[in-house]
Amino acid sequence: VSDPKRDRERQDAQYARRLQEEEVRRAGAGTQQPAGGRGQAGRGQDWGAAGEGRTLGGAPGPQADDAALSPEARRQLQLEAAERRQNNVPGVSQQKAAEMREKQQKAELLGKLAEYYHKQKLELPMGLNSATAEQLRKHWEHVRSKDAGAQQVLGS
């Protein structure tokens, strides 16, 4: 008497092996890999010879004037590099990346404002959820400047 559950597991295992063998064949087209295709991935690569790399916000390679940058200038360069990385999301158009970034900023500001109003035991103003990120930012700045206690909410 055969157990249907064991039969199904055996069939699944066979199918997985077949798919894995097919994937190894496709990946190994033109290169030689040992049987099973395991244990040899990346063996020919020398990661130590990859070069100096780039510093955040900097150009390739070491820079002599990098040490001369003030902490504020270095921070500004790092901020610009982070913004460039956010704008260049692989597989996403720049317009969609900007929409996603705006949505994230809006969610963060709504969270800060909700926390502030909760701590003040007040209700969120009506329509706050439909405000733009810029409107929320201005409202947060207004609330923060009006109440010194808001400076402590989530580290602003």
Side-chain angles (χ1 to χ4, degrees), residues 51-108:
E52 297 280 329
R54 296 181 182 206
T55 57
L56 274 178
Q63 293 183 354
D65 64 324
D66 192 34
L69 290 176
S70 71
E72 291 174 15
R74 181 172 294 147
R75 179 170 156 70
Q76 183 62 33
L77 284 174
Q78 291 171 345
L79 178 64
E80 290 170 2
E83 287 174 354
R84 281 194 304 273
R85 282 192 306 274
Q86 283 183 334
N87 289 336
N88 296 324
V89 179
V92 178
S93 70
Q94 290 206 354
Q95 179 183 4
K96 184 66 174 175
E99 288 174 14
M100 289 170 29
R101 193 171 47 259
E102 171 126 359
K103 188 175 181 179
Q104 179 183 5
Q105 290 172 349
K106 183 177 173 179
E108 289 173 2

Side-chain angles (χ1 to χ4, degrees), residues 98-124:
E99 288 174 14
M100 289 170 29
R101 193 171 47 259
E102 171 126 359
K103 188 175 181 179
Q104 179 183 5
Q105 290 172 349
K106 183 177 173 179
E108 289 173 2
L109 288 166
L110 276 172
K112 288 180 180 184
L113 288 165
E115 180 73 16
Y116 169 78
Y117 281 106
H118 178 74
K119 286 193 183 260
Q120 298 296 318
K121 296 185 168 68
L122 298 170
E123 287 189 33
L124 276 172

Side-chain angles (χ1 to χ4, degrees), residues 12-53:
D12 287 347
Q14 288 174 346
Y15 183 63
R17 275 192 297 275
R18 222 176 28 242
L19 287 175
Q20 185 66 38
E21 289 170 2
E22 186 177 315
E23 188 175 319
V24 168
R25 268 196 309 272
R26 284 185 191 154
T31 62
Q32 289 187 347
Q33 288 188 350
R38 293 177 227 200
Q40 300 295 323
R43 177 172 277 202
Q45 295 177 344
D46 181 10
W47 294 106
E52 297 280 329

